[in-house]
Amino acid sequence: MSIFEYNGSALVAMVGKNCFAIASDRRLGVQLQTIATDFQRIHKIHDRLFLGLSGLGTDTQTLYQRLVFRHKLYQLREERDMKPETFASLVSAILYEKRFGPYFCQPVIAGLSDEDKPFICTMDSIGAKELAKDFVVAGTAGESLYGACEAMFKPDMEPEELFETISQALLSSVDRDCLSGWGGHVYVV
Amino acid sequence: MKKEHASFNPYDNNGGTCVAIAGADYCVIAADTRMSSGYNILTRDYSKVCKLADKCLLASSGFQADVKALQKVLGARHLIYQHQHNKQMSCPAMAQLLSNTLYYKRFFPYYAFNVLGGLDDEGKGVVYTYDAVGSYEKVGYSSQGSGSTLIMPFLDNQLKSPSPLLLPPQDAVTPLSEAEAVDLVKTTFVSAAERDIYTGDKLEIVILNADGIRREYMDLRKD
Amino acid sequence: MENSGGFSFDLCKRNGWLVEKGIVKPPSFTKTGTTIVGLVFQDGVILGADTRATAGSIVCDKNCEKIHYMAPNIYCCGAGTAADTEAVTDMVSSQLQLHRYHTGRESRVITALTLLKKHLFGYQGYVSAALVLGGVDCTGPHLHTIYPHGSTDTLPFATMGSGSLAAMSVFESKYKEGLTRDEGIKIVTEAICAGIFNDLGSGSNVDVCVLTKGHKEYLRNNLMPNPRTYVSAKGYSFSKKTEVLMTKVTPLKERVEVIEAGDAMEE
């Protein structure tokens, strides 16, 4: 078993017309045993920037704390919020620092830039950025999500349609993954 | 004990994806035509769908040599059956035969992932899905092979079938028309070919209905 | 604990323990099982790359950029672990920029080569980046390949990555000295296509970068030979709407407009 499959997770972000959506499942397990059914994988960094962390629970929480700390320092020094692109570079740098002893964690970053242009991005556990124009996925249900999103995604969706698409993709994917499930959280911005 | 020599691995995975959908009066069986090994494409034009009987088709991915051997065994058994009974084997009978053949090699399995599609005695579509050692189930639709994890959620979403635990048992066949089912198969394969490196080149769709067997081909990504 | 730079090894012990205990197997990373090529033509260097990034048998990026910026006159194609190629080229390009500020001269390809090979040799192949480095400086056009362990080659035409053999077959049969720009681009595109179609680790589109004396031309997605082959005419619909358990609407905070007040102060 891979360490990424220890707790189980499903994460997905999609781009719509001047909006984005990010969604995750709610399960936290230890291998096949479910521990919690209301686990938070998606965190708000600021109003227009969300961070989803899949992988080993303990590492996702540690990493989240470090990132919030770095973002607060940035806010104090610069008196403004971080741009999604900047935040992605920060996450990438923090992950790559641990190239030879990584956090077992695959992040998904979704945000709106200054001109309300949506930005989504994911990385592997050592910070190889992957920018996409349509959708990004992560977690144990990643393969199922790729299949579902690839078939369901349409460009330039309005918020309501985007919500329906991302929810359907998430729900049908977690049904085929033993390690994620128990409903989901969806954020549409 | 120290290992003295490198162990010989009798298996390879030649990739590929198979899908089957059962309808009220038809059955659609489809597979891509790529055969690969590691990062190499061995051929772009290899049919994974095999006709076992008049109303029974088998699509298999996995290890091509095992698939070929399995098809040969089934073909031989079907020939004997025809001589003894003077008729074609029915699809449910073939399904049981395939399961037995797979389980016969329980501890040195055929590395083959099969979906069997056909028409039953009343002309209704049926699909049977298998694991490598012969566990099988009658379903309304199924997918096997390298791209199955990508295809299955979308099929679930579009064709969600009633629970097999319901009483009285519900019909598992899908509500789609034949044309809609073919369209759905095309969509799923195009999506799978985008993300699975072992799926591509060409899609072979075989449609089985009261009129007989019809084949359709469509191009997929070639990279 | 914030680090002042360089790698941090503090999770190594724990991660090693997890593997040792047999709880897990070590993780795999995003690879660019790539085709990257480069050749020297009559007035410079042409680099080429495919745009697929894979994680195992799944494509995780269909249109990534594998030709990295090093200096205005130097570019570098990367194959191997995606994070490593990205990080190593970024680091060296920043060192080159500082060096330019310091000396006030254009960077030389040999400088980039030395910095890259020093870094890779220092990590004994653990930083797994296989590179094709190309550029034009005051000493003319240069093309080098760099292997993950830090060894280098200087060649008139070069290929790297999982599709290198497919691409090399094109170069070996078609390359000659003194190619024109258009001939060069054609051969590079053909070589990358050989990798895209015959190697499963490579795919999607062709990126090309042409470097000549005092000029560069980055042809992103020069060729897109793999469009989607089928789009359903009538689309699809969801049979059952998602059950929403709870909805919470949080209005976004209005952005504060910063108005330059410089003139008002002076009045």
Side-chain angles (χ1 to χ4, degrees):
Chain A
M1 190 201 63
S2 157
I3 189 69
F4 292 99
E5 291 162 16
Y6 192 71
N7 294 129
S9 52
L11 262 176
V12 53
M14 270 187 192
V15 167
K17 197 172 186 185
N18 299 323
C19 60
F20 71 83
I22 179 167
S24 80
D25 72 322
R26 288 150 54 93
R27 179 183 182 270
L28 175 78
V30 168
Q31 307 207 24
L32 291 173
Q33 184 180 23
T34 304
I35 299 297
T37 60
D38 57 351
F39 193 64
Q40 275 289 346
R41 300 198 168 280
I42 301 178
H43 308 280
K44 188 164 96 171
I45 300 298
H46 59 74
D47 260 9
R48 287 150 214 261
L49 180 59
F50 286 77
L51 167 72
L53 293 163
S54 73
L56 190 67
T58 171
D59 281 4
T60 62
Q61 287 175 340
T62 309
L63 186 58
Y64 169 63
Q65 284 171 356
R66 280 191 67 186
L67 289 168
V68 168
F69 171 63
R70 293 291 293 265
H71 185 254
K72 282 185 174 160
L73 281 186
Y74 183 94
Q75 278 176 320
L76 285 171
R77 197 160 36 216
E78 305 267 332
E79 296 184 338
R80 63 190 168 115
D81 291 333
M82 246 189 213
K83 279 193 279 190
E85 290 86 345
T86 319
F87 188 71
S89 298
L90 171 68
V91 179
S92 171
I94 285 184
L95 286 172
Y96 193 72
E97 190 186 3
K98 301 224 183 298
R99 167 68 179 82
F100 296 109
Y103 288 117
F104 295 119
C105 188
Q106 205 189 338
V108 169
I109 296 157
L112 284 183
S113 69
D114 288 341
E115 301 81 42
D116 284 343
K117 224 171 72 74
F119 169 90
I120 54 165
C121 154
T122 180
M123 279 161 221
D124 68 357
S125 57
I126 50 170
K129 262 187 281 185
E130 178 205 323
L131 311 162
K133 283 197 277 293
D134 39 12
F135 57 84
V136 290
V137 308
T140 52
E143 269 194 47
S144 313
L145 279 164
Y146 268 132
C149 294
E150 198 66 63
M152 292 175 187
F153 182 83
K154 281 179 281 200
D156 290 330
M157 284 186 283
E158 296 295 333
E160 294 75 29
E161 198 187 0
L162 183 67
F163 167 77
E164 195 58 37
T165 309
I166 199 169
S167 312
Q168 296 271 356
L170 182 78
L171 289 175
S172 44
S173 301
V174 298
D175 280 353
R176 284 283 169 185
D177 179 31
C178 308
L179 300 174
S180 53
W182 289 99
H185 290 291
V186 181
Y187 296 80
V188 183
V189 182
Chain B
M1 204 182 82
K2 211 174 138 249
K3 244 187 185 174
E4 297 286 324
H5 56 90
S7 60
F8 167 67
N9 182 205
Y11 293 122
D12 187 15
N13 190 355
N14 298 119
T17 309
C18 312
V19 166
I21 297 176
D25 56 352
Y26 66 88
C27 186
V28 179
I29 299 105
D32 67 317
T33 64
R34 172 176 292 180
M35 187 166 92
S36 44
S37 178
Y39 272 158
N40 295 112
I41 296 172
L42 301 178
T43 168
R44 296 181 193 276
D45 196 11
Y46 168 70
S47 173
K48 292 182 184 62
V49 188
C50 163
K51 187 186 157 195
L52 293 176
D54 279 351
K55 287 178 178 174
C56 203
L57 291 156
L58 175 69
S60 348
S61 61
F63 182 30
Q64 191 260 358
D66 277 2
V67 168
K68 270 276 179 285
L70 179 64
Q71 287 171 353
K72 201 173 158 186
V73 170
L74 291 174
R77 293 292 296 268
H78 186 233
L79 194 66
I80 296 169
Y81 182 96
Q82 282 174 318
H83 287 312
Q84 285 175 341
H85 298 89
N86 198 27
K87 65 169 186 182
Q88 292 270 317
M89 210 187 260
S90 72
C91 200
M94 186 62 85
Q96 184 62 54
L97 174 63
L98 175 55
S99 170
N100 293 347
T101 313
L102 289 168
Y103 194 76
Y104 184 71
K105 280 172 69 64
R106 171 65 179 79
F107 295 108
F108 182 30
Y110 289 115
Y111 195 68
F113 300 99
N114 303 295
V115 271
L116 187 77
L119 300 177
D120 66 7
D121 297 331
E122 292 127 49
K124 225 161 52 181
V126 281
V127 168
Y128 298 89
T129 183
Y130 293 80
D131 76 352
V133 286
S135 161
Y136 81 118
E137 187 184 9
K138 185 180 166 186
V139 288
Y141 57 88
S142 185
S143 165
Q144 287 283 0
S146 60
S148 63
T149 40
L150 288 91
I151 288 179
M152 219 44 204
F154 189 61
L155 289 181
D156 284 340
N157 184 267
Q158 295 291 302
L159 307 168
K160 189 153 266 176
S161 61
S163 164
L165 303 175
L166 283 178
L167 281 173
Q170 301 274 307
D171 227 344
V173 297
T174 58
L176 299 186
S177 73
E178 190 185 297
E180 283 171 329
V182 171
D183 190 69
L184 182 67
V185 163
K186 288 180 180 172
T187 308
T188 58
F189 267 93
V190 168
S191 309
E194 292 278 322
R195 293 288 176 177
D196 178 29
I197 62 172
Y198 295 121
T199 304
D201 290 324
K202 230 163 44 176
L203 172 61
E204 181 185 30
I205 310 168
V206 187
I207 303 128
L208 186 63
N209 55 24
D211 304 333
I213 289 175
R214 190 173 91 242
R215 276 168 206 269
E216 270 186 41
Y217 293 91
M218 187 186 79
D219 277 337
L220 293 174
R221 283 172 82 104
K222 301 218 167 347
D223 61 343
Chain C
M1 188 69 77
E2 294 299 310
N3 230 302
S4 55
F7 288 118
S8 145
F9 294 91
D10 40 319
L11 289 179
C12 286
K13 202 164 177 186
R14 181 203 67 169
N15 294 356
W17 177 82
L18 283 168
V19 173
E20 194 185 303
K21 282 276 179 177
I23 299 176
V24 292
K25 56 177 195 290
S28 64
F29 307 118
T30 302
K31 297 268 211 175
T32 51
T34 306
T35 309
I36 49 172
V37 306
L39 62 76
V40 179
F41 72 113
Q42 63 181 15
D43 11 70
V45 174
I46 304 175
L47 299 174
D50 71 310
T51 65
R52 173 182 280 186
T54 55
S57 68
I58 295 289
V59 179
C60 52
D61 198 341
K62 286 188 273 189
N63 203 179
C64 65
E65 278 184 57
K66 295 182 189 176
I67 307 182
H68 306 278
Y69 166 90
M70 301 292 288
N73 58 324
I74 308 169
Y75 276 73
C76 184
C77 309
T81 303
D84 285 332
T85 59
E86 192 73 43
V88 85
T89 50
D90 277 2
M91 271 188 284
V92 172
S93 87
S94 93
Q95 288 179 46
L96 288 173
Q97 178 68 263
L98 290 171
H99 189 257
R100 281 199 300 281
Y101 286 141
H102 199 75
T103 57
R105 295 177 195 190
E106 189 183 65
S107 294
R108 292 192 188 186
V109 183
I110 197 77
T111 320
L113 180 76
T114 312
L115 289 168
L116 285 166
K117 68 146 72 177
K118 258 173 77 178
H119 181 90
L120 293 176
F121 181 73
Y123 284 96
Q124 292 286 306
Y126 287 101
V127 172
S128 55
L131 308 167
V132 173
L133 178 73
V136 181
D137 57 25
C138 58
T139 60
H142 300 274
L143 184 69
H144 305 279
T145 56
I146 308 157
Y147 291 84
H149 291 262
S151 62
T152 54
D153 271 338
T154 305
L155 301 158
F157 56 90
T159 65
M160 274 282 202
S162 58
S164 59
L165 283 93
M168 187 49 87
S169 71
V170 174
F171 279 173
E172 285 288 1
S173 57
K174 303 209 168 147
Y175 183 83
K176 58 182 194 290
E177 264 179 49
L179 289 167
T180 64
R181 178 183 173 278
D182 290 343
E183 282 172 336
I185 292 178
K186 189 162 166 278
I187 291 176
V188 163
T189 310
E190 223 175 293
I192 296 296
C193 281
I196 285 177
F197 289 115
N198 298 302
D199 170 43
L200 291 178
S202 319
S204 295
N205 311 319
V206 184
D207 284 356
V208 174
C209 187
V210 186
L211 297 155
T212 46
K213 184 84 199 151
H215 186 71
K216 77 117 216 285
E217 202 177 346
Y218 194 147
L219 306 163
R220 173 85 171 134
N221 293 351
N222 183 44
L223 190 69
M224 301 179 85
N226 290 293
R228 221 179 160 95
T229 50
Y230 180 77
V231 180
S232 175
K234 61 170 186 51
Y236 57 89
S237 57
F238 300 120
S239 52
K240 190 164 149 261
K241 281 208 99 181
T242 312
E243 281 176 52
V244 181
L245 300 180
M246 196 190 77
T247 310
K248 193 174 148 203
V249 180
T250 320
L252 294 182
K253 275 202 269 317
E254 280 298 310
R255 281 232 168 82
V256 184
E257 282 289 314
V258 179
I259 301 153
E260 290 294 331
D263 296 340
M265 296 275 280
E266 279 163 27
E267 272 173 23

